[in-house]
Short mmCIF file of all heavy atoms in Angstrom, two decimals:
data_model
loop_
_atom_site.label_atom_id
_atom_site.label_comp_id
_atom_site.label_asym_id
_atom_site.label_seq_id
_atom_site.Cartn_x
_atom_site.Cartn_y
_atom_site.Cartn_z
N GLY A 1 25.84 -51.57 69.89
CA GLY A 1 24.51 -52.18 69.82
C GLY A 1 23.77 -51.80 68.55
O GLY A 1 24.28 -51.12 67.68
N VAL A 2 22.52 -52.28 68.45
CA VAL A 2 21.69 -52.04 67.26
C VAL A 2 20.71 -50.90 67.53
O VAL A 2 20.01 -50.89 68.55
CB VAL A 2 20.91 -53.31 66.88
CG1 VAL A 2 19.96 -53.02 65.72
CG2 VAL A 2 21.87 -54.43 66.50
N ASN A 3 20.66 -49.94 66.62
CA ASN A 3 19.69 -48.85 66.71
C ASN A 3 18.39 -49.32 66.05
O ASN A 3 18.19 -49.16 64.85
CB ASN A 3 20.24 -47.59 66.01
CG ASN A 3 19.35 -46.38 66.20
OD1 ASN A 3 18.15 -46.51 66.42
ND2 ASN A 3 19.93 -45.20 66.12
N ARG A 4 17.51 -49.89 66.86
CA ARG A 4 16.28 -50.48 66.33
C ARG A 4 15.38 -49.42 65.70
O ARG A 4 14.72 -49.67 64.69
CB ARG A 4 15.54 -51.20 67.44
CG ARG A 4 16.34 -52.31 68.10
CD ARG A 4 15.55 -52.94 69.27
NE ARG A 4 16.35 -53.93 69.96
CZ ARG A 4 17.16 -53.66 70.97
NH1 ARG A 4 17.28 -52.40 71.37
NH2 ARG A 4 17.84 -54.62 71.56
N GLU A 5 15.32 -48.25 66.31
CA GLU A 5 14.46 -47.18 65.79
C GLU A 5 14.88 -46.77 64.39
O GLU A 5 14.05 -46.54 63.50
CB GLU A 5 14.48 -46.00 66.75
CG GLU A 5 13.42 -44.94 66.47
CD GLU A 5 13.85 -43.95 65.40
OE1 GLU A 5 15.07 -43.68 65.29
OE2 GLU A 5 12.97 -43.46 64.66
N ALA A 6 16.19 -46.69 64.16
CA ALA A 6 16.69 -46.33 62.83
C ALA A 6 16.32 -47.40 61.81
O ALA A 6 15.86 -47.09 60.71
CB ALA A 6 18.21 -46.14 62.87
N LEU A 7 16.50 -48.67 62.17
CA LEU A 7 16.17 -49.75 61.24
C LEU A 7 14.69 -49.72 60.88
O LEU A 7 14.33 -49.94 59.72
CB LEU A 7 16.54 -51.11 61.85
CG LEU A 7 18.01 -51.34 62.20
CD1 LEU A 7 18.22 -52.78 62.67
CD2 LEU A 7 18.92 -51.03 61.02
N ARG A 8 13.84 -49.46 61.87
CA ARG A 8 12.40 -49.39 61.59
C ARG A 8 12.06 -48.25 60.64
O ARG A 8 11.16 -48.37 59.81
CB ARG A 8 11.61 -49.24 62.89
CG ARG A 8 11.53 -50.50 63.74
CD ARG A 8 10.48 -50.36 64.83
NE ARG A 8 10.85 -49.35 65.80
CZ ARG A 8 11.55 -49.59 66.91
NH1 ARG A 8 11.95 -50.82 67.16
NH2 ARG A 8 11.83 -48.62 67.75
N SER A 9 12.79 -47.15 60.76
CA SER A 9 12.50 -46.00 59.90
C SER A 9 12.98 -46.22 58.47
O SER A 9 12.48 -45.61 57.54
CB SER A 9 13.13 -44.73 60.48
OG SER A 9 14.54 -44.77 60.35
N TRP A 10 13.96 -47.11 58.28
CA TRP A 10 14.51 -47.34 56.95
C TRP A 10 13.83 -48.48 56.20
O TRP A 10 13.73 -48.46 54.98
CB TRP A 10 16.01 -47.64 57.04
CG TRP A 10 16.80 -46.56 57.69
CD1 TRP A 10 16.46 -45.24 57.80
CD2 TRP A 10 18.07 -46.69 58.33
NE1 TRP A 10 17.43 -44.54 58.47
CE2 TRP A 10 18.43 -45.39 58.81
CE3 TRP A 10 18.95 -47.75 58.56
CZ2 TRP A 10 19.62 -45.16 59.49
CZ3 TRP A 10 20.14 -47.52 59.25
CH2 TRP A 10 20.46 -46.23 59.71
N ALA A 11 13.38 -49.49 56.93
CA ALA A 11 12.83 -50.69 56.30
C ALA A 11 11.43 -50.47 55.75
O ALA A 11 10.69 -49.58 56.19
CB ALA A 11 12.80 -51.84 57.30
N SER A 12 11.07 -51.29 54.80
CA SER A 12 9.69 -51.31 54.31
C SER A 12 8.79 -51.87 55.41
O SER A 12 9.25 -52.56 56.33
CB SER A 12 9.58 -52.19 53.05
OG SER A 12 10.36 -51.65 52.00
N GLY A 13 7.51 -51.61 55.31
CA GLY A 13 6.57 -52.14 56.29
C GLY A 13 5.88 -53.40 55.78
O GLY A 13 5.85 -53.63 54.56
N PRO A 14 5.34 -54.20 56.68
CA PRO A 14 5.43 -54.07 58.14
C PRO A 14 6.81 -54.47 58.65
O PRO A 14 7.45 -55.37 58.09
CB PRO A 14 4.35 -55.03 58.65
CG PRO A 14 4.26 -56.07 57.58
CD PRO A 14 4.51 -55.35 56.28
N SER A 15 7.27 -53.85 59.72
CA SER A 15 8.64 -54.06 60.19
C SER A 15 8.90 -55.49 60.63
O SER A 15 10.02 -55.99 60.50
CB SER A 15 8.96 -53.10 61.34
OG SER A 15 8.08 -53.30 62.43
N ASP A 16 7.87 -56.20 61.14
CA ASP A 16 8.09 -57.56 61.61
C ASP A 16 8.61 -58.48 60.51
O ASP A 16 9.32 -59.45 60.79
CB ASP A 16 6.79 -58.15 62.18
CG ASP A 16 6.48 -57.61 63.56
OD1 ASP A 16 7.35 -56.92 64.12
OD2 ASP A 16 5.38 -57.89 64.07
N SER A 17 8.25 -58.21 59.26
CA SER A 17 8.68 -59.07 58.17
C SER A 17 9.78 -58.44 57.32
O SER A 17 10.20 -59.03 56.32
CB SER A 17 7.49 -59.42 57.27
OG SER A 17 6.88 -58.26 56.75
N HIS A 18 10.28 -57.28 57.72
CA HIS A 18 11.32 -56.63 56.94
C HIS A 18 12.55 -56.25 57.76
O HIS A 18 13.45 -55.60 57.24
CB HIS A 18 10.77 -55.37 56.25
CG HIS A 18 9.77 -55.68 55.17
ND1 HIS A 18 8.44 -55.89 55.43
CD2 HIS A 18 9.92 -55.84 53.84
CE1 HIS A 18 7.80 -56.16 54.30
NE2 HIS A 18 8.68 -56.14 53.32
N ILE A 19 12.57 -56.64 59.03
CA ILE A 19 13.73 -56.39 59.88
C ILE A 19 14.17 -57.68 60.54
O ILE A 19 13.34 -58.42 61.08
CB ILE A 19 13.44 -55.34 60.97
CG1 ILE A 19 13.16 -53.98 60.34
CG2 ILE A 19 14.63 -55.22 61.94
CD1 ILE A 19 12.77 -52.92 61.34
N ILE A 20 15.46 -57.96 60.46
CA ILE A 20 16.07 -59.10 61.15
C ILE A 20 17.10 -58.51 62.09
O ILE A 20 17.98 -57.77 61.66
CB ILE A 20 16.75 -60.06 60.16
CG1 ILE A 20 15.73 -60.59 59.15
CG2 ILE A 20 17.43 -61.20 60.90
CD1 ILE A 20 16.37 -61.27 57.97
N GLU A 21 16.99 -58.84 63.37
CA GLU A 21 17.96 -58.30 64.32
C GLU A 21 18.81 -59.42 64.90
O GLU A 21 18.30 -60.40 65.44
CB GLU A 21 17.26 -57.57 65.46
CG GLU A 21 18.25 -56.90 66.40
CD GLU A 21 17.57 -56.13 67.51
OE1 GLU A 21 16.34 -55.85 67.38
OE2 GLU A 21 18.24 -55.81 68.50
N ILE A 22 20.12 -59.26 64.78
CA ILE A 22 21.07 -60.18 65.38
C ILE A 22 21.60 -59.50 66.64
O ILE A 22 22.29 -58.48 66.56
CB ILE A 22 22.23 -60.50 64.41
CG1 ILE A 22 21.68 -60.95 63.07
CG2 ILE A 22 23.16 -61.53 65.01
CD1 ILE A 22 20.74 -62.14 63.14
N ARG A 23 21.25 -60.04 67.79
CA ARG A 23 21.50 -59.35 69.04
C ARG A 23 22.92 -59.56 69.55
O ARG A 23 23.81 -59.89 68.78
CB ARG A 23 20.47 -59.81 70.09
CG ARG A 23 19.02 -59.54 69.65
CD ARG A 23 18.05 -60.06 70.68
NE ARG A 23 16.68 -59.96 70.20
CZ ARG A 23 15.91 -58.89 70.33
NH1 ARG A 23 16.37 -57.82 70.92
NH2 ARG A 23 14.68 -58.90 69.88
N GLU A 24 23.11 -59.38 70.88
CA GLU A 24 24.43 -59.46 71.48
C GLU A 24 25.07 -60.82 71.24
O GLU A 24 24.39 -61.82 71.06
CB GLU A 24 24.35 -59.19 72.99
CG GLU A 24 24.01 -57.75 73.35
CD GLU A 24 22.52 -57.47 73.29
OE1 GLU A 24 21.77 -58.42 73.00
OE2 GLU A 24 22.12 -56.33 73.53
N LEU A 25 26.40 -60.84 71.29
CA LEU A 25 27.14 -62.06 71.00
C LEU A 25 26.74 -63.21 71.92
O LEU A 25 26.81 -64.36 71.53
CB LEU A 25 28.65 -61.80 71.10
CG LEU A 25 29.24 -60.86 70.04
CD1 LEU A 25 30.73 -60.68 70.30
CD2 LEU A 25 29.00 -61.39 68.65
N GLY A 26 26.34 -62.89 73.14
CA GLY A 26 26.01 -63.95 74.09
C GLY A 26 24.65 -64.58 73.86
O GLY A 26 24.31 -65.53 74.55
#
């Protein structure tokens, strides 16, 4: 799965415009 907390800590802010999450295959 995706570690969302890690991505938020690495990305520039605000996270809504700097993180793209591709979820489960289904």
Side-chain angles (χ1 to χ4, degrees):
V2 175
N3 186 335
R4 301 177 184 88
E5 191 276 329
L7 300 185
R8 286 193 294 269
S9 71
W10 302 337
S12 297
S15 60
D16 283 352
S17 58
H18 292 85
I19 295 176
I20 301 167
E21 185 178 344
I22 308 304
R23 301 177 187 273
E24 290 83 1
L25 293 178

